[in-house]
Amino acid sequence: MVIKAKPVEKDLPMSLQVKRSQANAAAAISGSPPLPPSDSRQRFKQYVKTLQDNICSALEQLDGQAKFQEDNWQRDSGGGGRTRVIQNGRVFEQGGVNFSEVWGDTLPPAILSQRPEAAGHEYYATGTSMVLHPRNPYVPTVHLNYRYFEAGPVWWFGGGVDLTPYYPTVEDVVHFHTTLKQACDVHHPEFYPAFKRWCDEYFYLKHRKEARGVGGVFFDYLDYRGNLYSGPNLTGDAATYSQQVGPVTQSWEDWFAFVQSCGNAFLPAYLPIAERNQDKPYGEREREFQLYRRGRYVEFNLVYDRGTVFGLQTNGRTESILMSLPPLTRWQYGYEPTADTPEADLTNFFLKPQDWVNWVPTP
């Protein structure tokens, strides 16, 4: 069944359009940092909506049973979105692929803490986000998010994709990372190693002292300055690597092309993994371990995930924000996997950062 509601296709308020035109004119006169194209918001919005369409179509074809339910919604203080959820499928127990755009005149603390120069400006943000929780424990959970933000003269791109398996194989993890590296390398050879490090650093549960999964790529605040890392951990591996590389000068058009390459790489990176593992037999042991590890996913999304924090701080649609959570999960006090089992291999090997694209088996 498809849920229909009032479409959310409407232009920005006139006040925002006027202020944006004024900012463009002022920047041109003062020689301020380059502003994005006049149609930047519409172009990125259209891209992520198309990406949402393509991903949903391919996932429905893979599942062969369940269809995405669509829910169009509006945000009282400006904006809206298009939430699509798949449930009780053959492959996907539950998953969501969202599009949203929001605007307003008060920036949330999550933004101001990283970009204080955006204070005092009205903002606009749009993007797509996705989390899939497959039924079979041998098919990994996967997350994707690509977004664009503007506030006065401040603009940037952010996002990434990462894989969270329960019973991984080296073949699958190498394929996932190699596909992402190929997409990054089209634009710059340093993008993948920089953003892979940031992903390993970001998707990390500090209170558990373990990674959420096997990583992927993650980036944020990509703008005219060309800093490959602009996160909070200035002494971490991602920051150190970025400093060694130095700024990589990129225009708005360059970054937009890069984000499109990353977004378009998702299906070739993930579908072969799901297809290989969707019919593997499993029993109660594998199912119980999957539900236990899903608990880690919940912990990360509710404690650390910046998209969740931004959505809640901007009064976003709670149902859409929390669609990333799995339908079933469990916690077990003091669980320790038995040595030399696939469950132990997950934490002892796969959840340790590895150079997956150059992985060589130990003799």
Side-chain angles (χ1 to χ4, degrees):
M1 178 178 65
V2 177
I3 303 172
K4 295 295 185 181
K6 184 179 179 180
V8 193
E9 293 293 332
K10 61 179 183 179
D11 294 330
L12 291 173
M14 184 58 66
S15 62
L16 280 182
Q17 296 183 39
V18 170
K19 289 187 177 182
R20 191 178 189 210
S21 297
Q22 292 172 341
N24 283 337
I29 295 172
S30 65
S32 297
L35 292 176
S38 59
D39 60 350
S40 58
R41 300 175 183 182
Q42 183 60 36
R43 288 171 63 190
F44 194 86
K45 168 185 172 179
Q46 187 56 55
Y47 169 67
V48 290
K49 291 183 72 174
T50 300
L51 181 62
Q52 182 195 36
D53 289 340
N54 293 340
I55 289 175
C56 289
S57 176
L59 295 179
E60 286 184 346
Q61 184 175 358
L62 172 66
D63 191 273
Q65 175 177 305
K67 299 293 184 181
F68 280 92
Q69 296 181 343
E70 181 175 298
D71 188 5
N72 289 278
W73 53 274
Q74 294 186 3
R75 177 173 173 268
D76 291 341
S77 50
R82 189 172 69 177
T83 297
R84 292 177 181 169
V85 174
I86 190 169
Q87 296 176 303
N88 302 317
R90 184 186 65 85
V91 176
F92 301 108
E93 188 171 10
Q94 184 168 295
V97 186
N98 289 347
F99 159 79
S100 66
E101 61 172 346
V102 299
W103 56 78
D105 56 8
T106 303
L107 285 160
I111 295 298
L112 292 175
S113 64
Q114 292 294 321
R115 297 297 295 268
E117 67 271 29
H121 295 285
E122 294 177 309
Y123 72 89
Y124 174 85
T126 187
T128 187
S129 61
M130 176 202 72
V131 176
L132 301 174
H133 294 288
R135 183 178 302 279
N136 191 314
Y138 288 97
V139 181
T141 286
V142 68
H143 157 262
L144 170 149
N145 173 271
Y146 292 106
R147 56 192 180 271
Y148 176 64
F149 184 92
E150 286 186 9
V154 177
W155 59 268
W156 71 77
F157 296 90
V161 58
D162 70 293
L163 196 69
T164 305
Y166 308 102
Y167 289 93
T169 66
V170 170
E171 176 190 13
D172 288 344
V173 181
V174 169
H175 168 80
F176 188 78
H177 277 270
T178 300
T179 305
L180 297 181
K181 182 179 185 298
Q182 291 169 349
C184 292
D185 285 352
V186 171
H187 301 274
H188 199 285
E190 298 293 355
F191 285 175
Y192 171 78
F195 301 145
K196 190 267 187 190
R197 285 170 168 80
W198 197 347
C199 188
D200 288 338
E201 182 180 289
Y202 177 71
F203 292 105
Y204 183 79
L205 288 83
K206 301 179 183 66
H207 63 287
R208 297 285 188 181
K209 294 182 172 58
E210 69 177 28
R212 185 173 82 172
V214 296
V217 294
F218 178 84
F219 50 84
D220 211 351
Y221 305 113
L222 298 183
D223 60 13
Y224 67 93
R225 298 171 301 175
N227 297 325
L228 299 187
Y229 180 82
S230 298
N233 186 5
L234 300 181
T235 60
D237 189 33
T240 300
Y241 189 87
S242 175
Q243 291 165 3
Q244 292 172 348
V245 174
V248 178
T249 302
Q250 299 282 282
S251 67
W252 188 95
E253 298 287 355
D254 293 332
W255 285 131
F256 182 39
F258 168 66
V259 171
Q260 290 178 82
S261 291
C262 290
N264 296 342
F266 168 71
L267 290 174
Y270 182 71
L271 285 186
I273 297 173
E275 290 168 348
R276 277 196 293 266
N277 295 286
Q278 60 182 324
D279 295 321
K280 283 187 176 179
Y282 66 91
E284 183 178 355
R285 167 182 163 175
E286 291 85 359
R287 177 63 168 171
E288 289 293 295
F289 185 67
Q290 178 197 44
L291 297 183
Y292 169 71
R293 290 301 308 182
R294 279 180 177 177
R296 295 289 203 270
Y297 209 89
V298 172
E299 290 176 20
F300 181 89
N301 279 28
L302 295 183
V303 176
Y304 301 113
D305 186 74
R306 293 179 53 203
T308 301
V309 172
F310 176 82
L312 295 176
Q313 288 184 350
T314 55
N315 298 316
R317 184 173 185 261
T318 303
E319 202 68 13
S320 297
I321 296 167
L322 298 182
M323 66 88 197
S324 63
L325 303 182
L328 295 172
T329 188
R330 60 184 287 266
W331 280 265
Q332 179 177 333
Y333 180 79
Y335 171 81
E336 292 289 341
T338 303
D340 300 320
T341 62
E343 292 82 5
D345 288 343
L346 176 67
T347 52
N348 294 338
F349 174 67
F350 285 98
L351 297 188
K352 310 294 184 185
Q354 309 280 352
D355 181 9
W356 293 111
V357 297
N358 296 307
W359 189 82
V360 178
T362 303

